Amino acid sequence: MATALITGASSGIGLEFAIEFAKHNHDLILVARSEAKLKELADAVKAKYKVTVHVLVKDLGSDKQVDEVHNYTLMQNIQVDYLVNNAGLGDYGAFADEDWNKINSMIDVNIKALTRLSWLYVREMIQRKKGRIMNVASTAAFQPGPYMAVYYASKSYVLLLSEAMANELKDHGITVTALCPGATESGFADTANARDTRLFKRKIPSSAAVAAYGYKAMMKGKTVAIHGTMNYMMAQSVRFAPRKTVTAIAAKINNKD
Ligand SMILES: NC(=O)c1ccc[n+]([C@@H]2O[C@H](COP(=O)([O-])OP(=O)(O)OC[C@H]3O[C@@H](n4cnc5c(N)ncnc54)[C@H](OP(=O)(O)O)[C@@H]3O)[C@@H](O)[C@H]2O)c1
């Protein structure tokens, strides 16, 4: 049985990834800070599917705790076949007014932990000549995002890192997928204080739909997987429009009026 390590599994897209992987008979390692939510999910999954579930309560904003995730799999002799770097957070507000701790968390979780876990596990995958990594980016990755500037920039990093890794690893039997959801129903908008932006004040897809799409894209070895036709078209169109115009449109979409 193969094992999937999923970060940010306590809520939203990550929680649905856990169910999706279990449905396909994969053992799970669930990582997040919320112990009760992870345990509840582990119990629900074990009751329904014949899979082994490990719960790791870790704050991925801490370098030490990121390494503890890897050390756990080494000590337990668990081979991670699928790494899903899903944990992430956003923050709404003008760059100059943002709380530094939130900026720091976005850089630590969205960028640093994702990079460190990818680096640690890809080296094991290279030895086995097999493995798949999915990094959850966003449609935010395709343009600058005024009023969520650091978040958009962090997701651009995730997209570009994933595409470069996919290219380097294509002859090693390893695939890297950048999953790019658009606005999705989850805890994200509340954590980011973005619930009343134009982006979230409309009908948006469920986390379950995004996770099912992401799972398929990862298993096909797709490098960039944009969820939804409209999101796909938006991501393509920004390549041909003047950058100032693209940035102004993003500012409007992120507006709270
Ligand atoms: N929802 C959207 O509109 C949307 C769109 C595009 C991309 N995304 C991306 O999708 C991914 C999943 O987000 P979501 O929408 O499912 O939001 P969510 O419901 O808020 O879930 C975020 C997950 O990340 C975990 N997390 C946050 N900070 C963490 C930390 N310091 N250490 C460990 N885990 C941490 C949270 O767990 P704990 O709080 O328990 O630690 C939670 O499980 C994120 O990377 C997000 O940027 C979301």
Side-chain angles (χ1 to χ4, degrees):
M1 227 151 151
T3 301
L5 189 159
I6 304 167
T7 69
S10 63
S11 160
I13 301 170
L15 181 152
E16 298 294 344
F17 270 136
I19 295 169
E20 194 65 33
F21 275 93
K23 228 190 253 175
H24 289 87
N25 292 319
H26 302 306
D27 290 338
L28 305 173
I29 305 166
L30 307 177
V31 184
R33 292 166 303 180
S34 308
E35 183 170 13
K37 288 187 188 172
L38 288 181
K39 284 192 169 157
E40 193 186 324
L41 172 64
D43 289 345
V45 162
K46 282 188 286 188
K48 199 158 177 200
Y49 306 102
K50 282 201 175 96
V51 295
T52 302
V53 185
H54 303 258
V55 166
L56 289 189
V57 181
K58 300 289 172 198
D59 181 349
L60 297 175
S62 148
D63 291 353
K64 186 169 163 278
Q65 294 189 41
V66 170
D67 281 2
E68 284 168 6
V69 172
H70 185 242
N71 290 340
Y72 177 85
T73 57
L74 284 181
M75 298 298 284
Q76 298 281 324
N77 212 7
I78 303 170
Q79 176 176 311
V80 172
D81 304 283
Y82 306 111
L83 170 64
V84 182
N85 279 309
N86 162 79
L89 68 153
D91 184 39
Y92 182 85
F95 175 69
D97 298 335
E98 267 185 286
D99 177 54
W100 177 253
N101 291 328
K102 285 208 168 163
I103 292 179
N104 224 8
S105 293
M106 282 188 278
I107 294 171
D108 281 346
V109 179
N110 300 6
I111 295 180
K112 212 168 160 195
L114 174 145
T115 307
R116 176 86 178 149
L117 290 174
S118 296
W119 182 76
L120 287 167
Y121 285 109
V122 83
R123 287 144 34 107
E124 296 173 8
M125 290 176 181
I126 286 173
Q127 281 179 0
R128 298 196 298 268
K129 299 185 170 50
K130 204 170 175 219
R132 296 191 191 276
I133 297 176
M134 177 157 52
N135 291 329
V136 180
S138 167
T139 48
F142 296 96
Q143 67 281 300
Y147 304 104
M148 286 187 85
V150 175
Y151 177 71
Y152 275 56
S154 75
K155 292 300 179 177
S156 280
Y157 172 93
V158 173
L159 175 64
L160 298 191
L161 176 75
S162 306
E163 289 183 277
M165 282 177 62
N167 177 282
E168 288 182 18
L169 294 164
K170 65 181 185 306
D171 298 329
H172 292 270
I174 298 159
T175 64
V176 182
T177 300
L179 173 65
C180 302
T184 303
E185 199 44 69
S186 74
F188 177 87
D190 293 327
T191 303
N193 187 25
R195 180 64 68 191
D196 46 356
T197 58
R198 284 188 190 175
L199 192 59
F200 284 95
K201 275 200 304 198
R202 58 199 172 110
K203 199 171 154 31
I204 53 176
S206 66
S207 287
V210 170
Y213 169 78
Y215 179 87
K216 274 193 207 134
M218 180 192 209
M219 292 307 174
K220 278 188 198 152
K222 209 168 175 184
T223 303
V224 180
I226 303 170
H227 180 250
T229 313
M230 276 305 285
N231 289 330
Y232 177 83
M233 280 161 55
M234 287 283 282
Q236 298 307 321
S237 68
V238 300
R239 294 199 284 161
F240 306 106
R243 289 188 71 78
K244 268 195 181 167
T245 309
V246 167
T247 310
I249 292 171
K252 271 212 163 137
I253 291 174
N254 287 341
N255 203 303
K256 288 197 173 186
D257 296 338

